[in-house]
């Protein structure tokens, strides 16, 4: 198999095809789009290949046939017909500055017109200039225009911490995107992509004709790499890598299709560096997300088992951001299961993979435990103690977890209740250490709070606050509910671990371990 170059950070289709880079063929998806509806919207997390997708579509409509030799679309496209393309790119710029958005839109529209020898006129408003440009392109080229918008939402997201500017940018874009409907007669094809999915009321009230691809199973793999892609396209590069470990670290992003996908950025960096690391996670610090989770008092223990419906996953606006929508749209949670409740569709959300679970909990832990040296020391000690089955040492370490929590944090009861507070610290330490964790592990008799697989053994945890449940209640529940029964055939040992906290003493007051 011929070795090619890895397209790390390259979003230009022409460069990939001309300069000998690997390319995962998405043109069959593009063909289906063009043969289907006309106006589309797609939401995917950052670094998932949205910009490359748009650039590929641009080259197709511009008729650059030689770039598509050997690809799925090549024999199914009339290369003799070309279309004018208007592309708006909000991938760079300082959108926190009032007025900057208008300047960049007007500049990009002027450049698009100039490429076809069209004077955009003296319109002072971007909506009018866009409408004029589309009409003029249609008249001059004899073909309707293709409109592509990359990172349509970035001018709003960048300004979220300055709500006044964010609202101003949102209202501006609402007027601009509204033109896409009124100019329908001059448009051949339209696709808007971004990270978030703003509600139709807030941003797309005038563009309610967009076909949303985000949760359409047919297009679940339109961005990202599938397991088959790793075997076929990157087969020569995958030799020597533990595929089970690759899946554990990086696979798991699901948008209701049959296949989950990998983030391309992760796979390319893995193949380049030949080591497992949170490549994608480190490209963006989720400060805003951590602030929102803590201000809303969402326990980290709950993040791996959230449930949301269709409407909740798209409930996103400047002044009305739902945690579930933000976590899902930004890629920190994905669809783990789909449930039908009397005709209503609900999704169980969970972490897509080890990278995200470990990385996000490191950030949450840093917020909860300010003492960095103590925090890192505790985290480093956890795995060796579990592998050695040193439960006395584990009890001492668990007590150290909570000794590192600032007293004022507990006094403010930042997380909804003490059980949630203590359990969140506990969970985040385990998750940040890279352990294999299942939340609310189900059995026929109920759910254990946390299940940990380590060194071939299974540890089932139950958390209780003694002022609410009494001493000994955690272990009693583990035994009475028979949570360990489902692991009776496990090769390793199964341990029950009851952990009890006191809201008065603000410490661990009970720690009991028994082999099931």
């Amino acid at each position: 198999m011929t070795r090619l170059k890895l397209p790390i950070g390259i979003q230009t289709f022409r460069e990939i095809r001309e300069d000998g880079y690997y390319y995962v063929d998405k043109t069959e998806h593009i063909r289906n789009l063009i043969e289907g509806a006309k106006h589309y919207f797609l939401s995917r997390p950052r670094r998932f290949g949205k910009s490359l997708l748009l650039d590929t579509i641009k080259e197709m409509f511009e008729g650059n046939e030689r770039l598509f030799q050997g690809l799925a679309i090549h024999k199914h496209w009339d290369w003799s017909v070309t279309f004018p393309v208007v592309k708006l790119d909000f991938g760079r710029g300082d959108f926190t500055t009032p007025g900057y958005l208008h300047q960049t839109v007007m500049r990009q529209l002027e450049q698009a017109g100039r490429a076809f020898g069209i004077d955009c006129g003296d319109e002072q408003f971007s909506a009018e200039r866009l409408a004029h440009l589309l009409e003029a392109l249609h008249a001059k080229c004899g073909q309707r225009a293709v409109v592509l918008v990359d990172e349509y939402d970035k001018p709003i997201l960048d300004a979220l911490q300055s709500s006044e500017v964010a609202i101003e940018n949102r209202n501006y874009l609402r007027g601009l995107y509204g033109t896409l409907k009124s100019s329908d007669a001059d448009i051949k094809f339209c696709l808007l992509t971004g990270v978030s999915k703003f509600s139709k009321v807030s941003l797309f009230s005038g563009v309610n004709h967009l076909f949303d691809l985000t949760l359409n199973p047919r297009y679940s793999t339109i961005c990202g790499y599938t397991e088959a892609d790793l075997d076929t396209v990157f087969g020569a590069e995958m030799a020597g890598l533990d595929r089970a470990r690759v899946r554990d670290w990086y696979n798991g992003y699901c948008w209701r299709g049959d296949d989950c996908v990998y983030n391309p950025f992760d796979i390319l960096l893995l193949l380049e560096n030949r080591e497992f690391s949170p490549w994608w996670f480190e490209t963006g610090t989720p400060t805003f997300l951590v602030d929102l989770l803590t201000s809303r008092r969402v326990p980290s223990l709950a993040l791996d088992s959230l449930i949301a419906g269709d409407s909740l996953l798209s409930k996103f606006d400047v002044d009305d951001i739902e945690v579930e929508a933000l976590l899902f749209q930004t890629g920190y949670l994905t669809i783990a299961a789909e449930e039908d409740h009397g005709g209503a569709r609900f999704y169980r959300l969970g972490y897509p993979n080890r990278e995200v679970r470990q990385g996000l909990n490191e950030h949450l832990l840093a917020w909860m435990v300010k003492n960095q040296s103590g925090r890192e020391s505790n985290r480093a000690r956890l795995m060796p103690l579990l592998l050695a089955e040193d439960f006395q040492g584990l009890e001492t370490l668990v007590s150290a977890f909570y000794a590192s929590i600032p007293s004022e944090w507990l006094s403010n009861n930042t997380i909804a209740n003490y059980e949630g507070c203590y359990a969140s610290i506990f969970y985040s330490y385990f998750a940040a250490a890279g352990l294999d964790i299942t939340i609310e592990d189900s059995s026929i008799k109920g759910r254990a709070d946390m299940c940990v697989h380590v060194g071939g053994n299974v540890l089932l945890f139950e958390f209780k606050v003694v002022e609410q449940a009494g001493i000994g209640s955690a272990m009693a529940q583990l035994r009475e509910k028979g949570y360990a029964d489902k692991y009776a055939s496990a090769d390793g040992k199964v341990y029950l671990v009851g952990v009890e906290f006191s809201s008065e003493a603000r410490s661990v007051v009970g720690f009991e371990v028994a082999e099931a």
Side-chain angles (χ1 to χ4, degrees):
M1 187 177 291
T2 304
R3 301 287 290 272
L4 301 176
K5 294 187 288 186
L6 296 168
I8 299 171
I10 299 178
Q11 302 171 353
T12 306
F13 180 71
R14 178 182 294 273
E15 183 178 356
I16 287 176
R17 297 294 287 168
E18 289 182 340
D19 294 350
Y21 290 93
Y22 289 106
Y23 174 68
V24 174
D25 190 355
K26 300 294 184 180
T27 61
E28 184 65 27
H29 281 307
I30 297 172
R31 177 191 172 198
N32 291 333
L33 286 180
I34 296 169
E35 292 179 351
K38 179 176 179 180
H39 298 268
Y40 291 99
F41 168 79
L42 175 67
S43 168
R44 285 294 186 269
R46 57 189 167 82
R47 300 280 187 172
F48 254 88
K50 300 185 296 296
S51 297
L52 177 58
L53 176 69
L54 289 180
D55 198 59
T56 305
I57 295 172
K58 176 179 178 292
E59 296 287 357
M60 278 181 55
F61 277 107
E62 290 178 342
N64 295 309
E65 180 181 6
R66 64 185 179 81
L67 300 178
F68 294 87
Q69 294 284 347
L71 300 183
I73 192 68
H74 183 253
K75 294 181 180 180
H76 303 281
W77 188 255
D78 185 354
W79 300 101
S80 66
V81 181
T82 62
F83 299 83
V85 178
V86 176
K87 185 179 179 183
L88 294 175
D89 185 354
F90 298 116
R92 59 182 181 273
D94 181 11
F95 297 105
T96 63
T97 301
Y100 177 82
L101 175 58
H102 175 69
Q103 294 173 15
T104 191
V105 170
M106 297 296 272
R107 176 181 53 79
Q108 291 191 50
L109 292 177
E110 183 179 355
Q111 290 175 342
R114 191 183 306 128
F116 291 90
I118 293 174
D119 184 356
C120 287
D122 57 357
E123 287 90 352
Q124 299 300 308
F125 300 99
S126 61
E128 282 74 12
R129 177 167 290 192
L130 175 58
H132 172 84
L133 175 61
L134 295 174
E135 183 179 7
L137 286 171
H138 190 181
K140 182 166 186 175
C141 301
Q143 297 289 348
R144 288 170 293 161
V146 173
V147 180
L148 305 173
V149 183
D150 197 7
E151 299 201 52
Y152 87 103
D153 52 348
K154 192 171 182 290
I156 307 172
L157 299 180
D158 283 3
L160 279 178
Q161 292 182 317
S162 176
S163 60
E164 184 177 334
V165 177
I167 292 172
E168 179 183 333
N169 288 351
R170 179 199 63 188
N171 294 341
Y172 183 94
L173 291 174
R174 179 193 293 159
L176 179 66
Y177 298 146
T179 307
L180 300 176
K181 185 174 183 180
S182 60
S183 296
D184 180 68
D186 298 312
I187 296 176
K188 166 69 176 178
F189 178 86
C190 175
L191 175 59
L192 284 73
T193 68
V195 170
S196 62
K197 180 184 175 184
F198 279 84
S199 64
K200 290 183 179 179
V201 174
S202 69
L203 189 57
F204 294 125
S205 57
V207 203
N208 53 15
H209 61 311
L210 289 174
F211 187 101
D212 187 0
L213 302 171
T214 303
L215 292 180
N216 188 310
R218 189 180 183 189
Y219 297 100
S220 62
T221 61
I222 193 169
C223 289
Y225 296 161
T226 66
E227 198 74 46
D229 293 331
L230 267 59
D231 289 327
T232 55
V233 179
F234 298 104
E237 307 292 335
M238 293 298 296
L241 291 172
D242 183 340
R243 288 297 288 271
R245 194 176 181 200
V246 175
R247 283 189 290 271
D248 177 51
W249 262 87
Y250 302 120
N251 197 11
Y253 295 95
C254 300
W255 284 280
R256 301 188 60 226
D258 294 332
D259 294 317
C260 291
V261 297
Y262 294 88
N263 183 302
F265 190 77
D266 273 327
I267 293 301
L268 295 176
L269 267 294
L270 169 67
L271 297 178
E272 172 69 19
N273 294 288
R274 314 300 295 183
E275 64 181 44
F276 293 85
S277 187
W279 305 112
W280 172 79
F281 197 94
E282 291 178 347
T283 62
T285 303
T287 304
F288 176 78
L289 175 58
V290 171
D291 289 344
L292 184 67
L293 290 174
T294 52
S295 66
R296 297 277 182 91
R297 301 182 178 182
V298 180
S300 62
L301 193 69
L303 294 181
D304 207 15
S305 58
L306 294 177
I307 295 180
D310 282 315
S311 60
L312 192 59
L313 286 187
S314 61
K315 193 173 183 181
F316 191 98
D317 197 5
V318 175
D319 50 2
D320 186 16
I321 300 175
E322 291 295 336
V323 168
E324 292 86 348
L326 181 62
L327 287 164
F328 173 69
Q329 293 173 17
T330 52
Y332 294 106
L333 293 184
T334 193
I335 296 175
E338 187 174 331
E339 304 170 3
D340 188 306
H341 295 179
R345 184 185 295 124
F346 290 89
Y347 306 105
R348 185 173 295 277
L349 305 179
Y351 294 114
N353 48 45
R354 176 186 298 272
E355 176 193 24
V356 178
R357 182 177 64 242
Q358 186 170 332
L360 183 56
N361 277 280
E362 284 180 11
H363 281 274
L364 290 170
L365 195 60
W367 186 91
M368 292 184 282
V369 181
K370 304 301 183 185
N371 183 339
Q372 182 177 356
S373 60
R375 183 177 71 243
E376 292 303 298
S377 175
N378 289 341
R379 190 157 66 100
R381 292 166 56 197
L382 182 55
M383 182 76 80
L385 289 173
L386 292 173
L387 290 173
E389 300 177 36
D390 182 354
F391 296 112
Q392 184 175 354
L394 181 62
E395 179 179 3
T396 301
L397 180 61
V398 167
S399 296
F401 287 173
Y402 304 105
S404 63
I405 305 173
S407 59
E408 63 271 15
W409 187 78
L410 293 174
S411 298
N412 293 333
N413 196 20
T414 310
I415 297 181
N417 54 54
Y418 278 100
E419 184 173 319
C421 167
Y422 285 129
S424 290
I425 295 287
F426 198 92
Y427 172 79
S428 289
Y429 264 117
F430 274 65
L435 287 156
D436 183 0
I437 304 171
T438 303
I439 297 302
E440 293 192 339
D441 189 48
S442 299
S443 73
I444 194 170
K445 298 180 181 179
R447 300 174 183 268
D449 284 337
M450 188 170 80
C451 173
V452 179
H453 296 262
V454 58
N457 296 333
V458 177
L459 287 78
L460 297 171
F461 288 85
E462 188 68 28
F463 306 112
K464 295 292 181 184
V465 173
V466 295
E467 285 81 3
Q468 297 173 343
I471 292 288
S473 61
M475 181 58 71
Q477 180 167 330
L478 286 166
R479 294 184 186 280
E480 290 169 7
K481 296 293 185 180
Y483 293 149
D485 292 351
K486 66 183 291 186
Y487 298 102
S489 60
D491 293 334
K493 300 174 184 177
V494 180
Y495 291 102
L496 307 177
V497 185
V499 184
E500 294 167 341
F501 320 111
S502 169
S503 58
E504 296 177 359
R506 295 180 181 174
S507 64
V508 177
V509 295
F511 187 92
E512 188 176 356
V513 181
E515 187 173 349

Tab-separated table of all heavy atoms in Angstrom, residues 220 310 420:
chain	number	residue	atom	x	y	z
A	220	SER	N	-24.570	10.634	9.038
A	220	SER	CA	-23.862	10.591	10.326
A	220	SER	C	-22.347	10.554	10.158
A	220	SER	O	-21.607	10.952	11.052
A	220	SER	CB	-24.324	9.380	11.140
A	220	SER	OG	-24.011	8.173	10.454
A	310	ASP	N	-35.085	15.827	21.449
A	310	ASP	CA	-34.695	16.569	20.250
A	310	ASP	C	-34.648	18.069	20.495
A	310	ASP	O	-33.704	18.750	20.104
A	310	ASP	CB	-35.689	16.285	19.116
A	310	ASP	CG	-35.443	14.940	18.474
A	310	ASP	OD1	-34.281	14.618	18.207
A	310	ASP	OD2	-36.410	14.203	18.250
A	420	GLY	N	-23.741	14.641	45.973
A	420	GLY	CA	-23.299	14.979	44.623
A	420	GLY	C	-21.940	15.640	44.633
A	420	GLY	O	-21.107	15.389	43.756
